[in-house]
Amino acid sequence: MKRALKTLAWTLPACLAGFWLFLLLLPSDVVKSRYATLQAARDDRLFERGWLPDVLPPSSQDIRTAHDLDLNAVSGDFRFTPEEYPWLLARTKPAVRNGREVRAISQDSDTWIFDCSGVEGRCSYENERRRP
């Protein structure tokens, strides 16, 4: 009995470690993209593909996206000139998420949430899929 417990004591952690290593090595179904400018994002058809609504201020730059193909979820961030924050405000609606004021826009079956700092000229965003 003691021998079985000793064997279990080292094999169980080894098996768990092996399983976690296996999960870490699985290929990811997350496609990441980075665009230096808004025009570069347009040239790659980012908005046409529905990976982000076309509401970004004209000065937007350093646009990063992460699209999880399994979940069809998109998140990312971008920077812009703070003086253009009203551009984003005019194209989105106020919303509250986790007790914070954010901006939102609904498009097709998605609601896009923008958590922004107009003073700093930066936003992070993600989409929420509506359940049928």
Side-chain angles (χ1 to χ4, degrees):
M1 179 74 166
K2 281 186 178 182
R3 185 175 179 175
L5 287 176
K6 283 184 181 180
T7 303
L8 184 61
W10 69 267
T11 56
L12 185 59
C15 288
L16 287 173
F19 175 73
W20 284 112
L21 182 62
F22 171 75
L23 289 178
L24 288 174
L25 295 176
L26 280 175
S28 173
D29 284 338
V30 176
V31 176
K32 294 181 180 183
S33 301
R34 188 174 197 157
Y35 305 97
T37 63
L38 184 60
Q39 187 58 51
R42 288 191 196 292
D43 291 346
D44 195 37
R45 301 181 44 223
L46 178 70
F47 307 106
E48 291 175 37
R49 291 183 284 160
W51 287 20
L52 187 58
D54 195 359
V55 296
L56 277 59
S59 66
S60 294
Q61 58 187 328
D62 195 20
I63 303 163
R64 296 184 295 179
T65 67
H67 187 169
D68 186 321
L69 300 175
D70 289 336
L71 302 175
N72 199 18
V74 182
S75 63
D77 54 65
F78 59 94
R79 294 183 305 123
F80 58 92
T81 303
E83 291 77 25
E84 290 184 351
Y85 188 49
W87 175 278
L88 186 66
L89 295 176
R91 288 157 179 77
T92 57
K93 295 181 179 182
V96 176
R97 181 169 184 174
N98 299 327
R100 289 181 44 104
E101 185 176 319
V102 295
R103 304 302 296 181
I105 184 171
S106 292
Q107 189 177 55
D108 301 322
S109 63
D110 289 319
T111 296
W112 294 86
I113 304 296
F114 293 86
D115 189 353
C116 302
S117 168
V119 173
E120 295 176 18
R122 63 169 179 73
C123 285
S124 61
Y125 63 89
E126 63 184 40
N127 73 332
E128 294 179 342
R129 303 287 293 164
R130 281 187 239 158
R131 304 272 184 226

